């Protein structure tokens, strides 16, 4: 799929914001709240998601299987979440285990976005004129 990395960069940040709001129990979880989180989500997550998309394309060219690619992208999401949390934890601004939901939300959104991208790539390859 020619736009694979860009697709992941556009889809992953809003999914991560949605899952993070859902995991933290935001109520009511409606369109205004989700739309309000899009700017910070794209500001923080666009470049890492784009890099994950490029890495996935590279892994696919080297013959990695789908499950290994999904695990790699999920691992990148967890690492990105921990990188975001590390300075806050070291400065004493966050405490407890609740902030660890951020890496989980990032990993979940990365898996879902890549899964959708792979599904769309298969449909694109199947319907592409020869």
């Amino acid at each position: 799929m020619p736009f694979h990395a860009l697709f992941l960069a556009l889809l992953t940040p809003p999914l991560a914001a949605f899952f993070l709001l859902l995991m933290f129990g935001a109520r009511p979880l409606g369109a205004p709240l989700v739309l309000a989180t899009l700017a910070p989500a794209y500001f923080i997550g666009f470049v890492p998601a784009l890099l994950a998309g490029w890495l996935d394309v590279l892994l696919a060219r080297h013959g990695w299987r789908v499950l290994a690619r999904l695990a790699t992208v999920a691992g990148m999401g967890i690492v990105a979440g921990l990188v975001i949390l590390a300075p806050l934890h070291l400065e004493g601004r966050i405490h407890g285990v609740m902030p660890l939901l951020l890496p989980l939300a990032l990993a979940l959104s990365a898996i879902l976005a890549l899964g959708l991208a792979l599904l769309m790539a298969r449909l694109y390859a199947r319907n592409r004129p020869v």
Side-chain angles (χ1 to χ4, degrees), residues 45-106:
F46 184 81
V47 172
L50 187 65
L51 292 174
W54 284 336
L55 177 65
D56 181 61
V57 169
L58 183 68
L59 294 177
R61 287 185 184 151
H62 281 69
W64 284 45
R65 299 208 183 268
V66 173
L67 287 177
R69 290 166 47 201
L70 286 169
T72 301
V73 171
M76 286 181 67
I78 289 172
V79 168
L82 292 175
V83 165
I84 292 168
L85 291 176
L88 298 173
H89 180 70
L90 292 175
E91 291 177 359
R93 295 182 184 221
I94 58 173
H95 305 286
V97 295
M98 195 66 147
L100 293 178
L101 290 177
L102 175 65
L104 181 63
L106 294 178

